[in-house]
Amino acid sequence: MSQPHIRVAIIGGGLAGATLANALIKVPHLDLDLYESSPELSERGAAVGLTSNAQRALDQILPSMRQSLNKAGAVLMNSSRIVLGSGPDAGTLVFDLAGAGDPGVVVHRASLMREIIAPLPEEIIHTSHELSEIRTEGDELEIIFQNGSVKRFDAIIGADGIFSKVRNYVVGNFSEHQASPAGFWDCRLLIPFEKARSVIGDQFFELDRQYGWIGDNAFIMHDVLDNRTMVQVVVSAIEKDPPNDRKRPLTKELLIETSSNWLEGPIAKGVIDLLLEPGDLKAYSQWEQKSTPTYSKGNVCLLGDAAHATTPWQGSGAGLAIEDAMILGHLLSHIKTRDELNAAFKAYDAVRRPRGQQVIDSSRGTGQIFCGQNQEIGLDPDKLRELLPGRWGFIMSLDVHQHKQDALEAMQAILKTDVE
Ligand SMILES: Cc1cc2nc3c(=O)[nH]c(=O)nc-3n(C[C@H](O)[C@H](O)[C@H](O)COP(=O)(O)OP(=O)(O)OC[C@H]3O[C@@H](n4cnc5c(N)ncnc54)[C@H](O)[C@@H]3O)c2cc1C
């Protein structure tokens, strides 16, 4: 006898939701629908870095993705060069993080998203569907959309981003579990490669490497994208008075005040000129979810930023989302009936939440080091060399096969307890 179909809704068609959809369309006993509030599935913003663990997790979901990443113009991070950008030691090389054997890639977000959406059947994607409420109707979950439509499912997976409505359903509407400012702002700009090279300096573009400039109160980064046609420039800085609407105009005064100890160094002046040229850039507050008591409630669960929005300092938010999708896909492919959904979601919570929390806390601490705010390390190049590189160890060393196995064993243990 064939298995009864289990109806699953994914809410949110960002990187997390679309990656999960790829994992779930392969599971024959699931009927999948993906709902996105915007009129199309797309990614805004500049580049996203995928560390080696994220690429391994993506391989588990989409084995052809290595090729697709090349099509999407991914650039290998052959090395990340960390340099001091402010103060008397400005220009001092701190270290090269050689990517030999285990390199990350940087890819333009829109191009990555295009490749992830490509395998999805059109009929499962419902754009212009904004979830407004979840109700429990007997054994079923009812979704009420802003456009008036109402649908029923056996399970709902919230991939609806940092200000997730599904999160409110799962963890309750308590302020301590909502996203809040992390203490930094940042701004980003994409510019043509030749322009960046002429303003910032030829010597910084000899290799396709990412440069990170550590300094007093701020951090500057630039990396090469899209087959050496574009460069992403990022400035991040300490934020003491977060604006309510999470953004402020990027003015010359703000940049000069932020980088007052950088102006004699090799990088700040060129970068400030580049950032001021468009005239309308904004500085965005970085927000994060500081605490999350659970990723699941009943047959509803969270993934991606809805579960664990983190600051971008360790480049791991998207990587976490891809790992989430790998684990959920694995667990849901091993259940047989809707009665086992809850065990799958509890097992997912058990293996994924500790990792999400560790990344959030580590990432905030890494930002403080990059902005020269760690009391013990300051801007001492020797201490930075000793204490900074190891912070990525726990992120990149994830054994994806073991992680899947741990999740499956957790689910089997829960199912066994439920029977007893
Ligand atoms: C500045 C910055 C730089 C970053 N750099 C990196 C990096 O280098 N590497 C890395 O791994 N990560 C990085 N991240 C993190 C990464 O971008 C995010 O973790 C990832 O994109 C989250 O994807 P998501 O799908 O969970 O959320 P989102 O991308 O926010 O997608 C959520 C989707 O849900 C939709 N939605 C929202 N509400 C509803 C609703 N009610 N109903 C239906 N749909 C809804 C939205 O329209 C959206 O399409 C960075 C983040 C930032 C802010």
Side-chain angles (χ1 to χ4, degrees), residues 197-369:
R197 183 155 78 170
S198 69
V199 176
I200 297 177
D202 284 347
Q203 67 275 32
F204 302 126
F205 292 91
E206 281 160 7
L207 281 180
D208 285 352
R209 59 161 51 114
Q210 185 177 61
Y211 270 83
W213 300 84
I214 296 185
D216 184 25
N217 205 37
F219 175 74
I220 293 176
M221 193 188 84
H222 49 90
D223 47 19
V224 177
L225 300 176
D226 273 354
N227 302 318
R228 283 177 85 83
T229 57
M230 300 300 284
V231 170
Q232 170 182 232
V233 178
V234 181
V235 173
S236 309
I238 295 294
E239 180 177 70
K240 298 208 171 74
D241 53 344
N244 289 339
D245 66 351
R246 296 184 286 126
K247 60 179 187 289
R248 66 186 91 204
L250 187 74
T251 58
K252 189 169 185 177
E253 293 69 40
L254 176 64
L255 283 170
I256 300 285
E257 182 198 318
T258 301
S259 56
S260 56
N261 292 336
W262 288 66
L263 298 175
E264 302 307 317
I267 186 75
K269 278 191 184 139
V271 164
I272 290 176
D273 287 346
L274 286 171
L275 290 173
L276 290 175
E277 197 177 301
D280 59 354
L281 283 192
K282 302 266 187 295
Y284 292 92
S285 299
Q286 291 178 7
W287 284 42
E288 63 183 355
Q289 269 132 6
K290 293 194 172 54
S291 93
T292 306
T294 178
Y295 286 178
S296 77
K297 176 177 159 186
N299 287 358
V300 181
C301 83
L302 303 170
L303 95 162
D305 278 10
H308 42 58
T310 173
T311 52
W313 294 99
Q314 291 197 270
S316 285
L320 279 177
I322 296 167
E323 291 172 10
D324 290 346
M326 172 188 75
I327 294 296
L328 258 187
H330 189 56
L331 290 170
L332 294 183
S333 71
H334 279 81
I335 63 169
K336 295 184 189 64
T337 66
R338 65 183 303 287
D339 296 339
E340 295 172 334
L341 278 164
N342 186 237
F345 287 172
K346 277 185 179 159
Y348 165 77
D349 173 63
V351 299
R352 293 301 300 155
R353 193 152 49 89
R355 183 161 170 85
Q357 191 63 51
Q358 191 181 3
V359 170
I360 291 168
D361 296 337
S362 171
S363 180
R364 188 187 320 108
T366 302
Q368 283 156 356
I369 296 174

Side-chain angles (χ1 to χ4, degrees), residues 152-194:
R152 288 193 176 185
F153 289 91
D154 299 309
I156 299 174
I157 301 169
D160 49 344
I162 183 167
F163 300 108
S164 163
K165 284 194 179 138
V166 182
R167 183 178 171 92
N168 290 345
Y169 177 90
V170 171
V171 302
N173 210 348
F174 303 108
S175 59
E176 68 268 32
H177 303 320
Q178 304 294 325
S180 58
F184 310 94
W185 61 256
D186 62 46
C187 61
R188 281 152 203 265
L189 179 66
L190 270 181
I191 36 170
F193 179 85
E194 287 307 332

Side-chain angles (χ1 to χ4, degrees), residues 10-19 34-51 54 77 105-107 109 113 126 128-133 143 145-146 158-166 186-188 210 221 223 232 234 236 284-287 303-322 324:
I10 299 175
I11 306 298
L15 206 69
T19 307
L34 184 152
Y35 296 97
E36 162 59 40
S37 54
S38 308
E40 58 178 347
L41 264 54
S42 64
E43 267 285 308
R44 293 163 292 273
V48 64
L50 297 180
T51 43
M77 278 194 253
V105 294
V106 185
V107 61
R109 277 174 186 263
M113 195 60 183
H126 313 282
S128 302
H129 274 71
E130 180 178 347
L131 173 141
S132 110
E133 198 187 337
I143 304 177
F145 292 96
Q146 206 82 46
D160 49 344
I162 183 167
F163 300 108
S164 163
K165 284 194 179 138
V166 182
D186 62 46
C187 61
R188 281 152 203 265
Q210 185 177 61
M221 193 188 84
D223 47 19
Q232 170 182 232
V234 181
S236 309
Y284 292 92
S285 299
Q286 291 178 7
W287 284 42
L303 95 162
D305 278 10
H308 42 58
T310 173
T311 52
W313 294 99
Q314 291 197 270
S316 285
L320 279 177
I322 296 167
D324 290 346

